[in-house]
Amino acid sequence: MASTFTRRALLAAATAIGMLAAAGAAMAEPIKLRFADSTTAEAPRSKALVEIFAKKLEGDFAFEPYFGSSLYKQGTEIVAVQRGNLEMALMPPSDFAKQVPAFSILTAAYLVRDAKHLKAIFDSEIGDEFKKLAREEMGVVVLAPAYYGTRHLNLKGDKKIMKPEDLAGVKLRMPGGEAWQFLGESIGANPVAMDYAEVYTGLQTGAIDAQDNPLPNDKLMKFYEVTNQIVLTGHNVGFGLLMINAKLFDSLTPEQQKAMQAAADEAFAWSDQEYVKQEAELIDFFKGAGLDVYTPDVDAFRAYSNKKYLESPLSKDWPEGMLDRINAL
């Protein structure tokens, strides 16, 4: 009887332990993914993350977005991710270049041609090389590029800007950092560092004469209310790289990693197309709002900019042969 009782007790105990383990697994907290970005919640890339990326990962992950630099000041997000104080961010290559100068080539004017070219870069061995640099030298995993739109000039006043020389003395707001400031110089302007959230007031008060952004951003931030013209220079393709702390990513199961990658790809496939669609529609919107929208001598801008970059110390950090490889795609 004693042995029977013991066996029954052991079976009951094993069953109880199994039930507790199952209950514990069911009650496991989703992995928190705090995300920070400087743009608004209404931007296509923001909607893509909230409505596609986050929903695809529900269950295993809890995505917590913070937009409008509400959690971290613009430009500080990468360090926060590296330290583990933030799990994810979407950052332009200029911020990567602060730590790994090779990324500065991706900030150059007239390098990335459009959304398709951007995708081709990161689908190629070139993209793999930049992802490897980010992981090995920064401790972050780059999941996917996100197209923001092509940057154009947006100015106060009615002076026609047809060539780079016409921008002499024009105070052009650019984000902080060497790469961004040089981009402003490379098209002939006098760059002024200013946070994104301050640009509307800066234009309104005259602290700056101009700003450059993709057309969807100009509408979203209502810059057209305090400017008079948009010059379609197309001097830079704006994009960010969705990144996650490498230690966190490596702690995930292969299935979770695969799901996260697939969710990022799907989210930005939608977002990229939404930006392209908006860009095509917004020229008429801005003309309707009373702005003068026109195309300058883009070849003159491109030649001026290329010369500036190739003569600058920035190009010395570019990986050998990378310029030709990117242009060839």
Side-chain angles (χ1 to χ4, degrees), residues 4 53 55 67 111 117 122 124 153 179 206 218 297 305 314-315:
T4 302
F53 181 78
K55 289 183 178 179
F67 299 113
L111 177 71
H117 189 214
F122 278 90
S124 72
L153 290 174
D218 292 340
D297 185 345
S305 178
L314 281 178
S315 63

Side-chain angles (χ1 to χ4, degrees), residues 52-53 56 257-267:
I52 300 175
F53 181 78
K56 288 286 182 180
Q257 292 178 353
K258 185 178 180 180
M260 182 175 289
Q261 183 64 66
D265 292 339
E266 183 175 340

Side-chain angles (χ1 to χ4, degrees), residues 58-80:
E58 282 180 350
D60 282 352
F61 301 94
F63 187 71
E64 296 182 6
Y66 296 87
F67 299 113
S69 298
S70 58
L71 187 62
Y72 285 95
K73 185 178 179 181
Q74 185 178 15
T76 65
E77 298 95 337
I78 286 183
V79 173

Side-chain angles (χ1 to χ4, degrees), residues 248-309:
L248 171 59
F249 188 77
D250 291 342
S251 74
L252 305 178
T253 67
E255 292 76 16
Q256 289 172 327
Q257 292 178 353
K258 185 178 180 180
M260 182 175 289
Q261 183 64 66
D265 292 339
E266 183 175 340
F268 292 131
W270 176 85
S271 174
D272 291 357
Q273 290 306 307
E274 186 65 20
Y275 275 111
V276 170
K277 176 186 174 185
Q278 288 188 15
E279 286 179 298
E281 298 170 346
L282 282 172
I283 289 178
D284 287 340
F285 171 83
F286 290 123
K287 287 180 177 179
L291 275 70
D292 187 14
V293 183
Y294 59 93
T295 301
D297 185 345
V298 175
D299 289 339
F301 272 96
R302 184 181 292 108
Y304 182 94
S305 178
N306 287 345
K307 186 172 185 293
K308 280 278 191 180
Y309 272 99

Side-chain angles (χ1 to χ4, degrees), residues 169-217:
V170 172
K171 294 177 290 185
L172 172 65
R173 175 268 173 182
M174 298 297 294
E178 182 182 15
W180 280 119
Q181 294 295 294
F182 190 80
L183 176 60
E185 290 180 26
S186 80
I187 57 174
N190 177 28
V192 176
M194 182 178 288
D195 286 345
Y196 190 49
E198 299 172 4
V199 175
Y200 186 98
T201 303
L203 289 165
Q204 198 172 35
T205 62
I208 53 174
D209 306 312
Q211 64 90 28
D212 83 315
N213 260 296
L215 299 182
N217 291 24

